[in-house]
Amino acid sequence: MTYNGENIYIRFIGKDDTEDLLALTQRNRTHFEQVSPKRDESYYSQDFHEKMIEGWIKQREEDKRYVFGIFLKESDQLIGDISIFDIKRGPVQNCTLGYGLDQEHNGKGYMTEAIQLLLTFAFEEAKLQRVEAGVMPRNIGSIRVLEKAGFQREGLARKLLEINGTREDHVIFAMLAEDMKI
C-alpha cells in the first residue's frame, strides 16, 4: 500500500528495506538518541533490524502497529519512518503517532507531508477516530510539524517517557478524524 504526496511517498516497511533502514538508523544515531528511549548496542545491528521488521509485519497483520517508510519520490531513497501504534479498538478507536526523519532532510516539509499521508491511512483505511502524538517541549521542530499538520495541543503529560535515562515531559497533541480535511 503506497500513499503519494508531492515530494515523498510512504509505504509499509518490508524485509527488503532492512539494509536501508539500518543505514538510516546508524547515520542518524546521535540525532535520534536525543529524542528516543535508550537503545542497547544490539539495536544498531542487521540482525536486530531484520527481527524488528518481522515484528512490524506481524503487528500489522494483527492490527496493532503500522510502520511506513518515507521515501523521496525523485530517488526512492528511504529518508525516514512514520507509524501508528498502541492501537485501541472498540469504543476508543485511538492510536499513537511516531516518526523519525534523516536529519539531512529536516526543514523541507517532508515530515508534514508524511503525516498528512499517514492520517489519510489512519482515518480512511484503519478507520480510527483519534491520533495522538507526544513531543518533548524542547523539540520545537517536531511541535511545528504537528501544528502544521493540523494537530491540536491538548496538554502536558509530566514525565511521560524515559529518554536517554531521564524521565521527560511531553506535550500531547491530537488529531480527530473530523478535524482532517480529506
Side-chain angles (χ1 to χ4, degrees):
M1 179 171 293
T2 302
Y3 290 87
N4 288 296
E6 186 177 328
N7 301 298
I8 56 102
Y9 64 91
I10 65 171
R11 67 162 171 76
F12 291 133
I13 290 204
K15 292 177 185 178
D16 291 345
D17 298 309
T18 303
E19 288 181 17
D20 290 338
L21 183 63
L22 176 59
L24 173 74
T25 302
Q26 290 173 338
R27 191 170 56 249
N28 289 275
R29 181 174 179 164
T30 303
H31 175 62
F32 292 157
E33 284 177 345
Q34 296 172 32
V35 293
S36 300
K38 197 171 202 163
R39 310 261 193 223
D40 187 74
E41 193 61 35
S42 66
Y43 177 78
Y44 300 96
S45 71
Q46 175 94 12
D47 185 54
F48 187 94
H49 275 66
E50 286 172 2
K51 288 183 173 111
M52 181 171 65
I53 290 172
E54 287 172 11
W56 290 346
I57 292 167
K58 185 174 189 292
Q59 290 175 320
R60 181 172 71 231
E61 292 166 354
E62 297 169 347
D63 190 39
K64 293 181 179 177
R65 174 186 297 252
Y66 296 90
V67 182
F68 293 82
I70 303 168
F71 298 86
L72 285 177
K73 273 184 146 179
E74 66 184 25
S75 65
D76 294 321
Q77 177 190 0
L78 177 66
I79 62 167
D81 68 90
I82 187 165
S83 63
I84 53 174
F85 55 96
D86 290 339
I87 295 171
K88 297 173 187 77
R89 292 298 186 177
V92 180
Q93 299 299 327
N94 185 39
C95 68
T96 302
L97 171 68
Y99 50 82
L101 187 68
D102 188 324
Q103 63 185 345
E104 180 182 323
H105 296 285
N106 281 344
K108 298 177 182 177
Y110 298 152
M111 188 54 74
T112 301
E113 194 173 343
I115 289 173
Q116 291 166 340
L117 295 171
L118 183 75
L119 289 172
T120 299
F121 169 80
F123 296 136
E124 289 185 0
E125 298 296 322
K127 303 295 186 201
L128 293 161
Q129 293 300 309
R130 179 182 169 87
V131 177
E132 296 179 1
V135 181
M136 290 182 295
R138 70 175 176 270
N139 191 345
I140 303 302
S142 193
I143 289 171
R144 283 191 192 125
V145 163
L146 290 170
E147 290 172 341
K148 279 197 279 182
F151 278 71
Q152 300 296 312
R153 185 183 299 238
E154 293 191 331
L156 183 70
R158 298 179 311 141
K159 300 191 184 295
L160 177 68
L161 187 61
E162 188 173 301
I163 305 292
N164 272 329
T166 303
R167 300 290 310 174
E168 296 278 356
D169 295 347
H170 280 66
V171 179
I172 303 302
F173 289 85
M175 170 74 82
L176 305 179
E178 61 216 43
D179 297 335
M180 183 82 178
K181 293 171 180 61
I182 299 174

